[in-house]
Amino acid sequence: MADLKKTPLYDEHINSGGKMVDFSGWSLPIHYGSQIVEHEAVRQNAGMFDVSHMLVTDVSGKDAKVWLEKLLANDVNKLNIIGKALYSPILNDNGGVIDDLIVYRLDEKETLYRIVSNAATRDKDLAHFQESSRNLEVELSPRYDLSILAVQGPNAISKVQSVKPQWADTIDALKTFQGRMVASDWFIARTGYTGEDGVEVILPSDEILDFFLHLREVGVQPCGLGARDTLRLEAGMNLYGHDMDDKTSPLESGMAWTVALSDERDFIGKAAVLKLKQEGVRNKLVGLILATSKGILRRGMTVNVEGVGQGVITSGSFSPTLKQSIALARVPVGTQNIASVELRGKWTQLRVIKPSFVRNGKKQFN
């Protein structure tokens, strides 16, 4: 893996027994011995993920808000207080999803923001940022000097506070989807990707190892990409390149709630989204449950909906919490409660639900 990029925790991942894999050009641990143990640690206690491969971009300038109004499908004006976070897709001119990202407001004048975008799309995102901000007074600062550690689970916050007691009151004051600077280049946000409580900590890269080791000392389980994927799937959260991509509308990716069409902004991709809405959306993203314990739902499997048509599984796996296979799938809009998938040459019935399976450790359907 000599040509793969490495995070500042790479050597510690190796020392901790991490099984390293190529993830979008980065060498990262898929697990440290047991994906199931790591998954359950997050659902029942606390786990941490090195997500330093994601890109932090600081945005400043007189036209920062004007640019974000143009860039984001969601409405940046929803950031009505300092520290508030906004989840939004960014779209191409055809209305496909280039990426999903989180934007934080950092000042009173609405001239400072912070964007956290995905690893797999970081170069594409940055090029899109630069192109779309041309002719505006906006400065984009990719923070290659920063790393990110996500600490997730019902005990995640108390674990972080035991390591950083000086920030306990600040963390307690944060509501979900809010973040705050707590020290020079240390930023803590009540966000995550697991369906559990917790924080994501953005910090100087040369300080992440010490923070990681202290968290492990207080019982936070290091977790790899495998557990991160099953946790986000149980939570019904999209993964770029699977459940959303640059050829598919957010309206067909379970992301309609992130597209603000009622305001007067003319954001990139808005015309294409409005056109699709007027013509009629053909597909929707749903959750699938496999009743039988035999077989695993996998990405790419064809889903048949009798009398309606066919769809495709976009993400699928075994759920360690539910002890059954679950999936996200894009299916015709006429799909109701039942579908089927071919497993071992036999069409097997699936239950169709709203795409959320487990949140805060609890099953989300009857």
Side-chain angles (χ1 to χ4, degrees), residues 4 64 72 98 101 115 138 141 192 197 202-203 207 235 240-241 254 263 265 272 275 279 307 313 324 332 337:
L4 297 180
L72 304 177
I98 294 175
L101 44 77
I115 296 174
V138 176
S141 303
D197 199 1
I202 299 171
L203 71 168
E207 298 184 55
Y240 184 81
D263 58 82
R265 294 176 310 121
K275 183 172 184 289
E279 292 175 347
I313 291 178
Q324 60 189 137
N337 301 323

Side-chain angles (χ1 to χ4, degrees), residues 172-246:
D172 280 339
L174 290 175
K175 296 180 180 177
T176 301
F177 247 62
Q178 288 184 3
R180 179 164 295 183
M181 291 287 185
V182 290
S184 177
D185 276 335
W186 278 72
F187 183 84
I188 296 181
R190 287 283 297 275
T191 53
Y193 194 49
T194 63
E196 293 292 337
D197 199 1
V199 293
E200 292 179 308
V201 183
I202 299 171
L203 71 168
S205 293
D206 58 2
E207 298 184 55
I208 190 172
L209 176 59
D210 184 67
F211 188 49
F212 179 91
L213 294 176
H214 278 93
L215 287 170
R216 192 166 63 186
E217 286 176 2
V218 299
V220 180
Q221 168 72 51
C223 301
L225 296 170
R228 188 168 175 81
D229 191 53
T230 49
L231 288 159
R232 74 90 193 167
L233 179 58
E234 286 185 350
M237 295 178 177
N238 283 13
L239 176 64
Y240 184 81
H242 291 240
D243 314 299
M244 55 186 164
D245 57 54
D246 58 9

Side-chain angles (χ1 to χ4, degrees), residues 304-309:
N304 187 59
V305 187
E306 188 172 351
V308 176

